[in-house]
Amino acid sequence: MTGFNEPGSTQTALLLLGRGTDAGSERGVDCPGELPAPSDPDLVERARAAKEALGGNVFILGHHYQRDEVIQFADVTGDSFKLAQQAAARPDAEYILFCGVHFMAESADILTGPHQQVILPDLAAGCSMADMATASQVEQCWEDLQRVGIADVTVPVTYMNSTAAIKGFVGREGGIVCTSSNAERALRWAYDQGEKVLFLPDQHLGRNTMVRELGYSLEDCVLYNPHKPNGGLTDEELRNAKIILWKGHCSVHGRFTLECVEEMRRVDPEVNIMVHPECKHEVVAAADYVGSTEYIIRQLEAAPAGSSWAVGTELNLVRRLANRFPDKKISFLDKTVCYCSTMNRIDLPHLVWALEELVAGRVPNTITVDAATAAYAREALDRMLALP
């Protein structure tokens, strides 16, 4: 299939230039309408005025990785699943304006009522990790497992950071969604249902949870590459594996290296290294603390004054926490600035544009998941919600 995943393709060039779409990707790059100029000094006041005019009809969600200029207008901040839950808990809000990325808005649409409309201020705000597992690729993987004779004993588990189509596949095949907070519980549930797990789409969260939390070895994990026949694995490797990890990763958390950790310890022997489980296994193994975004925030809230921390997660959040806790030394784990580029597409001009469109009676950039996909995806999400 020609498209986004083929290096050097015309389609890739068009996407990078901000034109065109890819049917195999959750991302679109269309943003109809004229955006306010980023230099407009009245943007903050325009956002306030539009939000006030809309009143309770609009509910603004802001992911932790968003810019401060956007977060200031959020009614609730949090990680992707917390925000989707918050949207579902606000049935009176006609419009859910999601300042995050595409898969998050899809989850909100799945969990909210039919009378509510979920809006993404910039349709180009996708997720490279979610894009690494397309529905057709996962269906091919499942066919490979069926041919080898292990699909019947394999339970699919998908990270929240996946498209609605992948969540729908997982729900259809009796699997479950997980977050970085409950991946251990989700995997234990999966092993109660079957003998093996297909973990999508982040290899690092799956590997780290298996080894650190469930006590398996690295040899129990194999990596399925969707761009190679049979995932680049032999039939025997698939049959012997306890978990089949998808070859996907987070472009932000994947940048942190063991050298980053060693350099921080050399500069400050008292530093506490804290990283997200989307980081590589060797980074997680070398860290002092490992946990989800919400875990990282809680740890820093409870940390004693004067303590030193190097945090391996998205820079907007690290910088915000450093400003929030000036009595603690909080720094970014890598010397290289590392924002989530797609998350940062939601800026103040896009937020103002979306709000003013709503005030004018036009509903922009709605995110809608088809009914069949939403039903299966909801099954996978409900299984997660039922975890003890």
Side-chain angles (χ1 to χ4, degrees), residues 111-128:
L111 293 173
T112 51
H115 63 289
Q116 296 176 287
Q117 297 186 77
V118 178
I119 298 159
L120 188 66
D122 186 354
L123 293 180
C127 171
S128 59

Side-chain angles (χ1 to χ4, degrees), residues 34-48 69 72-73 347-353 356:
E34 292 298 319
L35 292 178
S39 58
D40 185 342
D42 298 324
L43 282 176
V44 170
E45 186 51 44
R46 285 172 64 179
R48 285 179 181 151
E69 66 186 52
Q72 66 179 314
F73 293 104
D347 56 13
L348 195 49
H350 281 89
L351 177 61
V352 168
W353 170 74
E356 290 182 343

Side-chain angles (χ1 to χ4, degrees), residues 277-336:
E278 288 176 20
C279 293
K280 298 171 184 174
H281 180 68
E282 60 267 25
V283 174
V284 165
D288 301 304
Y289 300 87
V290 181
S292 67
T293 302
E294 297 289 345
Y295 169 89
I296 289 171
I297 295 170
R298 290 195 305 269
Q299 287 296 119
L300 291 176
E301 285 175 339
S307 57
S308 176
W309 298 82
V311 184
T313 193
E314 205 271 344
L315 182 55
N316 272 318
L317 175 61
V318 177
R319 187 175 59 182
R320 189 174 301 122
L321 290 170
N323 291 333
R324 179 180 167 189
F325 303 115
D327 60 330
K328 304 159 192 178
K329 182 183 176 183
I330 300 172
S331 57
F332 192 57
L333 181 58
D334 193 359
K335 289 182 290 186
T336 305

